[in-house]
């Protein structure tokens, strides 16, 4: 056994010895990687470099050109903000992005149709409400409105003038946590300098959300449409 180990170690050393060391400007390269750096001359532009680290601790960057902008940056520049698909995790007791994993199972949708296969729904129920951003009896109104909305057994719920208070009550509702995917749970989509409010969509977990995004439009009242692509 020891003889075999010795032979393997000798073979490894011979291979390492034969491996040619990379040298640039008379310096031995110990690592190299491609990095992205924000341009110092052009606003909003990112440049690519190959960075070499030398054995003496110094480094060198070789420019590779302008880096392609990520999809989300291109979308934001055109006034589109893609949103996360947020589900409540019973295990973690918090709302999580479904892209990050966790529970992926769905509850049965409120319809007589089966979710198996690609059969279309016989009906698709959507409820939309302007919840009124006034602070007057806001908590009581929010709880009553949520109960009324859920009593209709909707597949999709669209709320307008959603405030941080309404959102906190909505996301704490056990029925919402169990049955719906939300477009926002932290208030990042709400806008307004003095009064924050916005739009929110709740989609039943039995439906497949392909994507949803906020679109920036000219508005003096922070209004932005929320568009969703959903498999029916």
């Amino acid at each position: 056994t020891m003889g075999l180990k010795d032979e393997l170690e000798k073979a490894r050393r011979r291979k390492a010895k034969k491996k040619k060391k990379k040298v640039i400007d008379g310096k031995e390269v110990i690592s190299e990687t491609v990095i992205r750096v924000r341009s110092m001359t052009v606003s909003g532009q990112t440049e690519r470099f190959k960075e070499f680290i030398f054995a003496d601790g110094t480094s060198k960057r070789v420019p590779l050109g302008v880096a392609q902008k990520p999809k989300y940056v291109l979308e934001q520049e055109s006034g589109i903000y893609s949103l996360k698909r947020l589900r409540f995790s019973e295990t973690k007791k918090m709302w999580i992005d479904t892209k990050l994993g966790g529970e992926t199972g769905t509850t049965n949708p409120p319809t007589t149709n089966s979710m198996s296969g690609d059969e279309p729904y016989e009906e698709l129920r959507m409820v939309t409400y302007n919840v009124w951003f006034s602070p007057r009896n806001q908590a009581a109104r929010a709880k009553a409105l949520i109960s009324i909305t859920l009593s209709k057994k909707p597949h999709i719920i669209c709320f307008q003038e959603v405030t941080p208070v309404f959102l906190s009550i909505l996301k704490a509702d056990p029925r919402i946590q169990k049955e719906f995917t939300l477009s926002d749970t932290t208030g990042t989509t709400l806008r307004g300098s003095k009064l924050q409010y916005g739009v929110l969509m709740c989609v039943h977990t039995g439906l497949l959300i392909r994507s949803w995004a906020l679109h920036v439009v000219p508005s003096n009242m922070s209004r932005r449409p929320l568009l969703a692509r959903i498999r029916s």
Side-chain angles (χ1 to χ4, degrees):
T1 304
M2 290 300 297
L4 178 59
K5 287 184 177 180
D6 290 340
E7 289 298 324
L8 290 174
E9 179 62 20
K10 289 179 181 179
R12 186 191 66 78
R13 291 178 179 177
R14 286 195 298 268
K15 186 177 180 180
K17 190 175 181 179
K18 289 181 180 179
K19 188 177 180 181
K20 188 177 181 180
K21 296 180 179 179
K22 192 168 188 176
V23 177
I24 296 178
D25 298 336
K27 299 179 181 180
E28 179 186 348
V29 177
I30 59 174
S31 71
E32 59 181 272
T33 184
V34 176
I35 62 173
R36 294 169 178 257
V37 179
R38 184 174 296 177
S39 174
M40 300 296 291
T41 56
V42 182
S43 177
Q45 182 171 287
T46 303
E47 298 171 347
R48 294 173 69 246
F49 293 87
K50 177 165 281 191
E51 185 175 59
F52 299 95
I53 306 298
F54 302 114
D56 63 0
T58 60
S59 63
K60 178 179 181 178
R61 290 179 179 178
V62 178
L64 300 176
V66 178
Q68 184 177 0
K69 293 181 180 180
K71 182 180 178 182
Y72 77 93
V73 173
L74 295 174
E75 288 181 343
Q76 290 178 4
E77 288 179 350
S78 63
I80 302 173
Y81 292 80
S82 296
L83 303 181
K84 297 177 180 179
R85 296 185 284 267
L86 299 163
R87 291 279 305 279
F88 187 78
S89 169
E90 284 292 344
T91 304
K92 299 180 179 179
K93 298 300 180 183
M94 62 185 295
W95 290 87
I96 62 173
D97 183 0
T98 54
K99 288 183 179 180
L100 300 179
E103 291 94 12
T104 57
T106 61
T107 55
N108 293 325
T111 179
T112 57
N113 288 51
S114 171
M115 282 303 295
S116 60
D118 296 321
E119 292 296 323
Y121 286 107
E122 294 176 2
E123 64 177 11
L124 189 67
R125 288 186 294 277
M126 180 183 293
V127 176
T128 177
Y129 264 108
N130 185 313
V131 304
W132 189 32
F133 52 49
S134 171
R136 181 179 178 183
N137 299 324
Q138 194 171 45
R141 288 191 295 106
K143 293 176 182 178
L145 194 151
I146 293 169
S147 294
I148 293 172
T149 300
L150 295 177
S151 70
K152 305 302 179 182
K153 297 182 179 180
H155 299 87
I156 303 170
I157 309 171
C158 300
F159 290 121
Q160 300 89 47
E161 294 193 12
V162 172
T163 63
V165 172
F166 181 89
L167 180 58
S168 64
I169 294 173
L170 178 75
K171 70 179 185 180
D173 190 290
R175 297 164 295 179
I176 294 293
Q177 293 177 353
K178 181 181 179 180
E179 299 181 8
F180 289 90
T181 302
L182 273 58
S183 60
D184 185 8
T185 57
T186 59
T188 56
T189 64
L190 309 182
R191 291 290 184 271
S193 56
K194 295 182 179 180
L195 177 64
Q196 286 190 325
Y197 64 95
V199 292
L200 178 74
M201 193 177 294
C202 311
V203 177
H204 198 279
T205 55
L207 294 174
L208 173 63
I209 305 168
R210 297 191 182 278
S211 66
W212 50 17
L214 277 173
H215 292 247
V216 177
V217 296
S219 172
N220 293 326
M221 298 185 69
S222 300
R223 291 187 175 125
R224 295 186 295 176
L226 173 57
L227 276 64
R229 293 179 64 237
I230 300 171
R231 191 196 75 178
S232 60

